[in-house]
Amino acid sequence: MGAQGLGQACNFACQLALIALLGKEAFVSLGLGLMAANSVVFLGEIGLGTYFLRESATRDDWLPRWQMATGSRLAGVLLAFVLAWVAIAWAAPAPTTAHTVLLWGVPGLLASVVNPLPILFGLGHIRTASFALFSRFVLQSLLCLLIAAVFPLQSAMGIGLAFSAGLILQVIIGQWAGLPPATLRPRRPRSLPPPAAMRLWALSLVGTLHDRSLPFIVSTIRPDLLAVVLLGVQVLQTLSGILSQLDRLLIPATARTGAMPPAAFVPLLHKLLFLSGAIALAIMLTAIVWLPDHRAAVVIFACEWVFGVGEGAVFAFLFARSAERPVTHLMLVLVPLSTIVQVSLSGVLPLESMLALRLLVVTLVALQMRRSFRALTPSSAPA
């Protein structure tokens, strides 16, 4: 978590520096392009990144399964790239700039197909995986700032190249750590990915569309707030990324032992909720100073984020115990409905109403997670 925190701090500092160097208007298009590239990486996992946290921790025959998984991920990245390209063309204020960032990020997108972090964490190489994660963000940030400062007119290309360089570096570190070279060779999958991975992928797809739709909705309702919202989303994604490192430790450890009872997880969840609540409170207090006319919107958004952090931790525990299916099924219904309503009514309802709908969705999901969590017993074991 420390490596993720330092890396994300570098990333956030880079975002602020880009705003100072290039201005808010230029940052909006660059930020949308970078957000699209990160979304392609996230969606291109097809749930297999999280799935292999569990598989590589519990199975000795993970390598051929990994090679077929990377074949599936290659197809997933290509599909997600097309979707991101169309979304930018439809909704970005300056599509050409955002498209340039995405285009120069293609080498990184291809490298993400063989991203070694799930295997490294699953096999217990936590320090190496953390170093790779930290190195990615440092390299990306330094290259972004260097190109933006020296060649400001080529900032879109530079950000795309920096994005690619960071992901390629992770792959190099994985090989340096001793992973088999065969991990870099995708194989044609003999079948669809495992059902658990497919459910994770579907969940990633609808969740990403739900989250990434917010800046586009704001651009319709309050375009003057778009730069602030992009920065705010970046802050919360940064914090979520830090806290989500718990998944990479919790899932392999719980799956490997198969015996961690829910009671042992509860104190950890309470600490996580306390920490995220304190962060949300700081965000609310900051909004009183910087966005006095939008306090209600900030409060609702911060509450949604706190729920999301807690749900992410509980979902990781449920997944490690193979008990995530009821929650996944509910989310695959509620989240797409919420996204459709928000996009359809973005020019009709005020921003606060849209955010209240998002908060309602995470509340209903939290109730289902609570039921699934309480249904586990110390004697239950992962399938």
Side-chain angles (χ1 to χ4, degrees):
M1 291 179 68
Q4 176 78 359
L6 291 173
Q8 292 284 10
C10 290
N11 186 46
F12 181 58
C14 176
Q15 305 294 316
L16 293 175
L18 286 175
I19 293 178
L21 286 170
L22 305 173
K24 287 184 179 180
E25 290 187 7
F27 172 75
V28 165
S29 296
L30 294 170
L32 285 174
L34 187 58
M35 185 180 73
N38 281 308
S39 298
V40 170
V41 172
F42 186 59
L43 294 176
E45 282 196 345
I46 322 180
L48 290 163
T50 302
Y51 180 75
F52 269 91
L53 288 174
R54 189 174 72 184
E55 289 297 287
S56 58
T58 56
R59 299 178 66 105
D60 294 329
D61 60 338
W62 58 266
L63 181 55
R65 297 160 65 86
W66 168 262
Q67 289 179 302
M68 288 188 286
T70 56
S72 298
R73 289 183 64 175
L74 179 59
V77 163
L78 295 176
L79 175 60
F81 177 85
V82 172
L83 293 175
W85 191 274
V86 173
I88 288 173
W90 172 63
T96 301
T97 301
H99 276 156
T100 301
V101 175
L102 186 58
L103 189 62
W104 284 95
V106 166
L109 299 179
L110 295 176
S112 73
V113 170
V114 291
N115 178 15
L117 291 187
I119 301 174
L120 291 173
F121 277 109
L123 295 177
H125 302 310
I126 296 174
R127 291 185 178 179
T128 302
S130 299
F131 174 71
L133 189 65
F134 174 67
S135 300
R136 169 194 171 185
F137 287 114
V138 171
L139 181 61
Q140 285 180 347
S141 299
L142 291 176
L143 286 179
C144 276
L145 293 179
L146 178 62
I147 295 176
V150 179
F151 305 106
L153 297 179
Q154 305 299 325
S155 294
M157 180 187 72
I159 289 176
L161 285 174
F163 169 84
S164 293
L167 287 166
I168 292 171
L169 179 61
Q170 283 188 332
V171 176
I172 294 173
I173 291 175
Q175 292 299 298
W176 168 76
L179 290 180
T183 56
L184 304 180
R185 294 196 294 268
R187 291 171 55 185
R188 183 173 63 85
R190 299 173 185 172
S191 62
L192 291 174
M198 290 295 289
R199 287 194 296 270
L200 287 173
W201 177 73
L203 198 59
S204 297
L205 177 62
V206 299
T208 299
L209 292 176
H210 190 258
D211 291 341
R212 301 304 193 265
S213 66
L214 183 60
F216 297 111
I217 290 168
V218 171
S219 69
T220 302
I221 301 174
R222 290 296 306 272
D224 56 306
L225 290 177
L226 183 55
V228 175
V229 169
L230 279 172
L231 193 59
V233 169
Q234 176 67 37
V235 171
L236 293 183
Q237 285 180 350
T238 296
L239 295 172
S240 297
I242 297 170
L243 299 175
S244 69
Q245 288 307 295
L246 182 65
D247 298 4
R248 292 172 171 173
L249 303 176
L250 178 65
I251 291 176
T254 305
R256 191 177 294 118
T257 61
M260 182 180 183
F265 173 71
V266 170
L268 178 63
L269 179 61
H270 287 168
K271 293 177 182 178
L272 187 64
L273 289 175
F274 177 80
L275 176 61
S276 59
I279 293 171
L281 180 60
I283 293 172
M284 295 176 194
L285 294 175
T286 303
I288 294 176
V289 177
W290 296 102
L291 296 171
D293 297 332
H294 301 282
R295 294 173 186 170
V298 172
V299 169
I300 297 171
F301 186 49
C303 289
E304 178 200 348
W305 180 76
V306 172
F307 268 86
V309 169
E311 288 173 0
V314 175
F315 187 86
F317 182 84
L318 293 175
F319 180 78
R321 301 289 295 271
S322 299
E324 81 286 355
R325 186 177 300 181
V327 175
T328 303
H329 289 170
L330 177 65
M331 294 181 71
L332 289 177
V333 173
L334 288 182
V335 177
L337 285 177
S338 173
T339 304
I340 292 171
V341 171
Q342 290 179 64
V343 173
S344 301
L345 301 179
S346 60
V348 179
L349 297 179
L351 181 60
E352 288 77 8
S353 298
M354 295 295 187
L355 295 175
L357 175 62
R358 298 167 67 93
L359 180 58
L360 175 62
V361 170
V362 297
T363 301
L364 294 174
V365 172
L367 292 175
Q368 178 59 56
M369 282 190 171
R370 183 173 181 268
R371 285 193 289 268
S372 297
F373 185 77
R374 296 184 69 178
L376 290 175
T377 62
S379 60
S380 61

